[in-house]
Amino acid sequence: MAKKNMTYDELMERAKEARKQADDLMKQAKELEKEERKKKAELERRKRDEEAKQLYKIAETATITLNEKTVTVLEYLRMYRDAMQKETK
């Protein structure tokens, strides 16, 4: 508890200490927010990676018939990519 008869200098010193503590708390809060954003971004990245793996597995096994030739979706996508690259060159 504060003394009743504090001098101006003592009050100013306490105010400086309180401000420093508040600044430190704000820095800590910002760091925690930053860490939370990193964790959230990592979870989102993992989720997208897992979805991509699942789609890749489907593309490896699913087949389509193209000009009376059966190919996997993955092979078709590769052929399409190669054809598009040839067109752009």
Side-chain angles (χ1 to χ4, degrees):
M1 187 143 194
K3 299 183 224 175
K4 283 189 173 185
N5 296 325
M6 293 181 76
T7 65
Y8 177 80
D9 291 337
E10 290 171 332
L11 286 173
M12 289 304 293
E13 188 62 34
R14 286 210 174 180
K16 286 180 187 177
E17 289 174 12
R19 179 179 233 168
K20 185 180 182 308
Q21 288 176 348
D23 289 344
D24 290 344
L25 288 173
M26 288 299 291
K27 286 179 185 177
Q28 288 176 357
K30 286 181 182 180
E31 286 296 317
L32 288 173
E33 283 180 14
K34 193 176 184 180
E35 288 176 23
E36 280 296 314
R37 284 194 303 268
K38 282 182 182 179
K39 287 179 184 177
K40 189 174 181 179
E42 178 66 20
L43 287 174
E44 285 295 319
R45 187 188 62 76
R46 286 183 184 176
K47 183 179 175 183
R48 283 193 311 270
D49 287 351
E50 188 60 35
E51 288 173 354
K53 285 178 187 176
Q54 290 173 355
L55 288 173
Y56 188 82
K57 286 179 184 177
I58 291 169
E60 282 181 319
T61 57
T63 59
I64 57 174
T65 302
L66 186 65
N67 296 332
E68 298 179 12
K69 180 181 176 188
T70 303
V71 295
T72 66
V73 173
L74 188 59
E75 290 171 329
Y76 172 75
L77 291 173
R78 287 181 180 149
M79 290 187 298
Y80 180 79
R81 179 195 64 202
D82 293 344
M84 294 306 284
Q85 286 177 346
K86 287 180 185 176
E87 283 183 19
T88 59
K89 289 183 179 180

